[in-house]
Amino acid sequence: MEFGKRRRAAVVVLGDIGRSPRMQFHALSLARQANLEVDIVAYGGSDPYSALLEHQSIHIHTMRLWPSRDGVLPKIFRSVMLLLKPLIQFIMLLWFLCVKIKAPDVFIVQNPPSVPTLVAVKWASWLRQSSFIIDWHNFGYTLLALSLGRSSRFVAVYHWVELHFGKMAHGSLCVTKAMQHELEQVWGIKATVLYDQPPEFFCPTHLEEKHKLFCRIKKDIFKSNGPLDCISYGITSNDIQDPNSTLFTNLIGDDYHLKQNRPALIVSSTSWTPDEDFGILLEAAVMYDRRVAALLNENDSNGEEVLWKAIDDGKTFSYPRLLFIITGKGPEKEKYEEKIKKLNLKRVAFRTMWLSPEDYPFLLGSADLGVCLHTSSSGLDLPMKVVDMFGCGLPVCAVSYSCITELVKPDKNGLLFSSSSELADELMMLFKGFPNECDALKMLRNGVLEMGLSARWATEWEANAMPLISKVISGDLH
């Protein structure tokens, strides 16, 4: 395939490149599979994958981040900032795209955000005589409407800009068939579906790697300054320092073993934003805690420490402890951390942490279940976090919405829920008899592994993105 005379592409993200895995994978594929020089223009913040940093043909150009203090400003100034912020971002983007980097054959830009990104990239593509492709992850105006309301004039203007400049692109990619249909029928834009798929380093974790990971994150799990709970009870400083034992595993001689009375590990990755109702997970955790206590006829007057001591002494129960590890950064994190502290649960505990890009796949591959709270502002996108979980062989319980079944196949690779009560029911059903007798959980895990054998990012990209990019660069779109 032909990729232009310049042999160069630019990937544009008006966001933290370390938290934009799909655009990182685009850059890797452009460099590895299309053999192009790749410039990434984005904000810094989180570390991207090491494969990106180590590739000689990928060059990352980080822009200065806009100060995130809009929320503390008086209301009268917020409207001014809504206008000023995109203007400054537009100038900065144009400087990077037209001056700081070499002229590419094609710009590939993430949407959302749409303003001022699509405007700046369109201008840059005209000034530098380059092609311009939009990768539609969602609709930006629907995300803005979550905070401002659908009737806001700012949302109406944003929608117009997104539609107008979206039509000016030379090509489009999108993440679901539902979005493809919406773009074509309502927006008049033809798009190619490029499903998110995990890269090759998202895979099930071997027991030795699980043990090493749990050793690395011991201090995050056994927080010395945190509240006492079913996970931290009875843990000493010697336990934290011991390299042969973790909460989940033991190293005996040269052999690694899973502990019989280990808790079930549940992972949820969240951006702590309004389109993910974390309250559903907290309510489900409380319900699980109370239902198990009722089923086991536990006396509340005995207090939590009687139960915790029995567990510490090696006693097992028909329903396990649950440890939820919540990864991610975002605006509502502290609010929910305060709520978690007040739950006072017997056999459920929460930990929030941020892992390195290299450790995150190991955590997913070490967990027993993933939970996804993504609801989609447009109802047309799919959560990348579920793709990552499936790549690591992890079954998922996900919030049900219009197009989620393009990814999660109920009773095959996961389950869907619409309320905290439904999620609690699923936790009870999946973890009864854990770790040896939970057949429903084992069936879902086997389903994930069977369905995920052929689905990898490089294959999907070569079949769908590469032909579009080649046609756009050559001008052969008909």
Side-chain angles (χ1 to χ4, degrees):
M1 293 186 181
E2 294 297 324
F3 287 99
K5 296 178 181 178
R6 298 165 180 166
R7 307 290 303 169
R8 199 170 198 98
V11 174
V12 185
V13 182
L14 194 65
D16 182 345
I17 186 60
R19 296 169 67 186
S20 305
R22 182 176 168 101
M23 302 311 286
Q24 292 184 63
F25 300 156
H26 270 306
L28 284 168
S29 291
L30 288 163
R32 290 173 175 174
Q33 294 168 255
N35 297 312
L36 299 180
E37 292 291 316
V38 182
D39 292 295
I40 298 175
V41 175
Y43 291 133
S46 308
D47 292 332
Y49 293 113
S50 57
L52 209 71
L53 299 172
E54 293 164 4
H55 203 293
Q56 293 183 347
S57 297
I58 298 176
H59 318 279
I60 301 176
H61 309 265
T62 54
M63 300 179 290
R64 181 173 294 180
L65 190 64
W66 179 268
S68 56
R69 298 175 183 172
D70 297 1
V72 300
L73 290 172
K75 194 171 182 179
I76 193 171
F77 292 116
R78 290 180 196 170
S79 297
V80 177
M81 295 305 289
L82 277 172
L83 295 171
L84 183 61
K85 180 178 178 179
L87 179 61
I88 300 298
Q89 289 175 326
F90 173 78
I91 294 169
M92 183 165 55
L93 265 173
L94 214 57
W95 170 257
F96 271 80
L97 301 182
C98 293
V99 179
K100 295 280 282 183
I101 67 170
K102 295 180 181 179
D105 293 297
V106 63
F107 290 101
I108 300 177
V109 57
Q110 171 184 301
N111 184 74
S114 316
V115 178
T117 326
L118 300 188
V119 185
V121 175
K122 176 56 190 172
W123 279 37
S125 71
W126 174 66
L127 290 168
R128 309 210 75 173
Q129 297 184 321
S130 305
S131 299
F132 161 34
I133 293 174
I134 298 174
D135 189 15
W136 297 83
H137 298 195
N138 201 346
F139 293 142
Y141 82 94
T142 63
L143 288 170
L144 187 63
L146 289 176
S147 55
L148 299 183
R150 290 267 180 169
S151 60
S152 167
R153 290 182 181 178
F154 285 108
V155 173
V157 171
Y158 200 105
H159 188 190
W160 182 88
V161 171
E162 191 169 21
L163 172 62
H164 183 70
F165 284 89
K167 286 183 174 181
M168 291 184 177
H170 300 103
S172 288
L173 297 164
C174 65
V175 294
T176 63
K177 289 179 181 177
M179 184 176 287
Q180 180 189 46
H181 183 267
E182 179 82 3
L183 283 168
E184 185 166 1
Q185 298 299 316
V186 180
W187 295 52
I189 296 171
K190 288 189 176 182
T192 299
V193 177
L194 175 65
Y195 281 119
D196 283 319
Q197 299 290 358
E200 65 280 0
F201 48 86
F202 278 81
C203 56
T205 305
H206 297 299
L207 187 51
E208 180 180 353
E209 288 295 345
K210 290 182 183 182
H211 181 83
K212 291 177 179 177
L213 171 72
F214 294 138
C215 284
R216 288 195 293 275
I217 64 173
K218 261 189 185 183
K219 290 182 179 179
D220 292 310
I221 292 175
F222 302 129
K223 291 185 176 179
S224 57
N225 59 346
L228 196 63
D229 57 27
C230 64
I231 299 301
S232 59
Y233 179 85
I235 298 300
T236 66
S237 58
N238 288 336
D239 294 325
I240 296 174
Q241 299 298 324
D242 185 1
N244 297 320
S245 180
T246 74
L247 180 63
F248 303 91
T249 58
N250 278 322
L251 173 58
I252 303 172
D254 294 327
D255 297 324
Y256 295 91
H257 304 272
L258 287 169
K259 290 183 175 179
Q260 187 64 24
N261 71 333
R262 66 186 183 275
L265 177 56
I266 304 174
V267 175
S268 183
S269 176
T270 178
S271 54
W272 303 98
T273 51
D275 65 343
E276 295 185 340
D277 185 359
F278 195 73
I280 290 178
L281 183 57
L282 298 189
E283 290 169 9
V286 172
M287 290 178 188
Y288 175 89
D289 200 66
R290 290 176 178 170
R291 289 179 190 178
V292 172
L295 281 171
L296 299 179
N297 295 315
E298 291 176 354
N299 189 342
D300 286 343
S301 62
N302 290 340
E304 300 92 346
E305 294 199 21
V306 174
L307 171 66
W308 297 345
K309 187 176 188 310
I311 294 171
D312 194 45
D313 290 338
K315 186 175 180 180
T316 58
F317 295 86
S318 53
Y319 291 92
R321 293 170 290 164
L322 303 183
L323 173 60
F324 289 90
I325 293 184
I326 316 299
T327 69
K329 298 176 181 177
E332 296 193 342
K333 182 180 178 181
E334 290 183 3
K335 179 181 84 173
Y336 280 108
E337 283 180 329
E338 287 303 312
K339 288 186 177 182
I340 288 169
K341 289 178 183 177
K342 298 173 183 176
L343 290 179
N344 195 29
L345 302 174
K346 276 188 174 183
R347 49 177 31 92
V348 181
F350 287 84
R351 299 292 185 268
T352 59
M353 59 182 75
W354 176 258
L355 283 85
S356 71
E358 285 68 40
D359 274 347
Y360 180 60
F362 287 139
L363 177 66
L364 297 184
S366 302
D368 299 296
L369 182 71
V371 173
C372 176
L373 302 167
H374 180 80
T375 54
S376 177
S377 61
S378 64
L380 300 171
D381 68 316
L382 293 173
M384 181 71 189
K385 66 197 76 178
V386 173
V387 176
D388 293 339
M389 290 171 182
F390 285 165
C392 295
L394 184 63
V396 172
C397 290
V399 172
S400 179
Y401 63 92
S402 56
C403 69
I404 189 66
T405 51
E406 287 190 42
L407 180 59
V408 180
K409 311 297 181 185
D411 298 318
K412 292 183 179 178
N413 59 6
L415 298 172
L416 301 177
F417 61 89
S418 300
S419 67
S420 54
S421 181
E422 286 184 16
L423 176 56
D425 289 341
E426 291 169 2
L427 294 175
M428 296 286 291
M429 183 266 292
L430 291 174
F431 288 111
K432 183 179 181 180
F434 181 87
N436 298 325
E437 299 173 13
C438 41
D439 293 337
L441 184 63
K442 291 174 184 175
M443 182 191 72
L444 292 181
R445 183 177 287 277
N446 289 335
V448 172
L449 294 172
E450 287 171 11
M451 296 178 75
L453 288 175
S454 60
R456 288 290 161 179
W457 171 266
T459 307
E460 183 81 9
W461 193 89
E462 189 155 335
N464 296 289
M466 186 183 279
L468 175 69
I469 295 167
S470 177
K471 287 179 182 178
V472 164
I473 291 174
S474 66
D476 183 20
L477 294 173
H478 304 288

